[in-house]
Amino acid sequence: MRKYPNTSTGRNVVFQLTKSASSTGANFRAAFRARSDKEYLAKLGIAEEEGDETCYWLDLARSYKKWEPIHKEVNQLYQEADQLTAIIVSMMKRKKESLK
């Protein structure tokens, strides 16, 4: 990703994005090592929440007019994060249906 502005806001957004995006991946991976269906769903639930938080930070980044030079890239990342979050939600729904 192109460099975010080196301001307190820019650094905070990058920090929060790094945390939420990496947590999404870590919890998604952990779901596949789950010892039970309940643990699997719990880990996917955390991954979904973190994915949604990633979307929030990207949405915030694209709302700053001063950051217009990176809006195209941020929009692309937002779409990818949103799609991944939707995939996680779909996986959770399918698992819940299979447990009925």
Side-chain angles (χ1 to χ4, degrees), residues 13-80:
V13 170
V14 169
F15 176 71
Q16 294 295 340
L17 268 171
T18 302
K19 285 178 34 176
S20 62
S22 59
S23 180
T24 302
N27 281 288
F28 184 80
R29 180 179 174 161
F32 292 96
R33 297 182 54 87
R35 295 167 293 218
S36 67
D37 291 335
K38 184 176 179 180
E39 186 177 355
Y40 174 82
L41 287 168
K43 292 295 183 182
L44 283 182
I46 295 169
E48 179 209 351
E49 291 170 2
E50 294 294 333
D52 186 58
E53 183 178 336
T54 300
C55 288
Y56 166 78
W57 289 109
L58 289 166
D59 202 28
L60 191 67
R62 64 187 186 175
S63 74
Y64 292 130
K65 296 234 185 264
K66 289 183 178 182
W67 294 13
E68 229 170 281
I70 62 170
H71 280 185
K72 183 178 179 181
E73 195 167 355
V74 170
N75 285 334
Q76 182 179 358
L77 291 171
Y78 179 91
Q79 288 176 354
E80 291 177 14

Side-chain angles (χ1 to χ4, degrees), residues 78-94:
Y78 179 91
Q79 288 176 354
E80 291 177 14
D82 192 47
Q83 288 173 356
L84 288 170
T85 303
I87 289 167
I88 293 168
V89 169
S90 176
M91 291 172 68
M92 291 172 63
K93 285 180 181 177
R94 272 188 266 136

